[in-house]
C-alpha cells in the first residue's frame, strides 16, 4: 500500500522509493471523497520471479500453485433431482496427486472445501487459489453408500501441477528404460 500519487492509467507502472529504485508495480488506485488517495502495488519480491520466468521462458508457470489433482464437473440441477448432492462430481483422480494420496475416488462429490460450500468447479478453483502447494486443506466429500450418499471429511496435502507432471514424465522415462533393457536382453538370449 502506498500514499504516493498514482494517476489514472498508471497501473502497471513502476513504484519508486526515494532512491529511484523500483520497489513495486502499481496495480490499483482507490479514490473517493472520504479518502485522499491510496494506491496499491505488487511488491518486487513477488513480481521478480514472474518477470524472470517471462524473460527466460516466454511464459510463467507458478510452481507453487495449489493443485488438487482431480478432473470433474458440476452436479447439475437435473442430477440433484435424483438425490445427488450439489457439488463437484469427480470423474478422474490424477496419479500421484494429493487427492489420490488422501483417498479421493472417481464418483466422489466435493461438497465443501474448508468452510466454503462448493457448488461448481469454478468455485472450487477459486477457493484453491488462496492456497499453495504443500498446504493442507479439509474437503467434505459425499460418497455413495447404498442407495444414498454419506459425507466424509478428508484432509488433503495439496501438490503442485509441475511436480505431478515431472513424476509422470519420470515414470514414463523409467518404463521406457525398462522396456529398452528387456529388448536388449531378448537380443542376447
Amino acid at each position: 500500500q502506498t500514499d504516493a500519487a498514482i494517476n489514472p492509467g498508471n497501473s502497471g507502472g513502476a513504484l519508486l522509493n526515494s532512491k529511484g529504485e523500483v520497489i513495486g508495480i502499481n496495480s490499483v488506485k482507490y479514490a473517493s471523497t472520504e479518502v485522499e488517495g491510496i494506491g496499491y502495488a505488487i511488491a518486487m519480491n513477488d513480481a521478480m520471479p514472474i518477470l524472470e520466468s517471462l524473460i527466460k521462458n516466454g511464459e510463467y508457470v507458478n510452481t507453487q500453485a495449489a493443485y488438487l489433482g482431480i478432473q470433474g464437473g458440476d452436479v447439475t440441477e437435473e442430477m440433484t433431482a435424483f438425490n445427488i448432492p450439489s457439488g463437484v462430481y469427480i470423474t478422474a483422480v490424477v496419479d500421484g496427486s494429493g487427492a489420490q494420496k488422501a483417498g479421493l475416488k472417481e464418483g466422489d462429490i466435493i461438497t465443501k472445501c474448508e468452510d466454503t460450500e462448493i457448488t461448481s468447479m469454478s468455485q472450487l478453483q477459486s477457493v484453491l487459489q488462496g492456497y499453495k502447494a504443500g498446504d493442507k486443506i479439509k474437503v467434505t466429500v459425499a460418497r455413495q453408500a447404498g442407495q444414498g450418499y454419506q459425507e466424509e471429511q478428508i484432509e488433503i496435502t495439496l501438490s503442485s501441477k509441475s511436480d505431478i507432471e515431472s513424476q509422470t514424465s519420470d515414470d514414463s522415462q523409467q518404463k521406457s528404460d525398462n522396456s529398452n533393457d528387456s529388448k536388449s536382453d531378448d537380443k542376447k538370449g
Side-chain angles (χ1 to χ4, degrees):
Q1 181 177 330
T2 181
D3 61 357
I6 299 176
N7 294 321
N10 281 353
S11 291
L15 178 64
L16 307 171
N17 66 12
S18 61
K19 297 176 189 172
E21 300 168 328
V22 178
I23 60 170
I25 299 172
N26 297 325
S27 58
V28 176
K29 175 186 176 182
Y30 179 76
S32 74
T33 55
E34 297 88 31
V35 178
E36 275 202 31
I38 297 175
Y40 295 93
I42 300 166
M44 284 311 296
N45 290 343
D46 294 333
M48 280 309 292
I50 297 168
L51 295 171
E52 289 168 354
S53 178
L54 286 170
I55 292 167
K56 184 178 176 185
N57 306 319
E59 66 179 344
Y60 172 67
V61 177
N62 184 355
T63 58
Q64 289 302 308
Y67 181 65
L68 186 57
I70 64 158
Q71 294 175 1
D74 303 349
V75 174
T76 64
E77 265 186 54
E78 293 82 18
M79 295 167 76
T80 58
F82 294 102
N83 294 325
I84 297 174
S86 182
V88 173
Y89 184 87
I90 299 174
T91 57
V93 178
V94 177
D95 288 341
S97 67
Q100 182 199 36
K101 292 174 184 172
L104 288 182
K105 301 174 186 173
E106 184 179 320
D108 286 347
I109 300 169
I110 298 174
T111 59
K112 201 174 199 183
C113 184
E114 290 293 330
D115 295 326
T116 304
E117 297 286 331
I118 299 299
T119 58
S120 68
M121 181 63 92
S122 60
Q123 183 186 26
L124 177 61
Q125 290 169 336
S126 178
V127 169
L128 291 174
Q129 286 181 352
Y131 297 94
K132 64 183 185 312
D135 287 349
K136 292 184 180 193
I137 62 168
K138 289 183 181 167
V139 297
T140 303
V141 297
R143 189 167 278 165
Q144 196 160 12
Q147 296 291 330
Y149 284 85
Q150 185 174 1
E151 285 197 336
E152 182 180 335
Q153 196 172 59
I154 297 175
E155 186 175 79
I156 300 172
T157 301
L158 297 168
S159 42
S160 80
K161 193 169 186 176
S162 60
D163 287 344
I164 301 302
E165 289 170 349
S166 68
Q167 281 178 352
T168 305
S169 66
D170 289 347
D171 291 347
S172 296
Q173 181 62 41
Q174 192 172 25
K175 286 178 185 175
S176 174
D177 290 346
N178 289 341
S179 67
N180 287 340
D181 289 345
S182 64
K183 286 178 185 175
S184 63
D185 289 346
D186 289 343
K187 289 180 184 177
K188 290 179 184 176

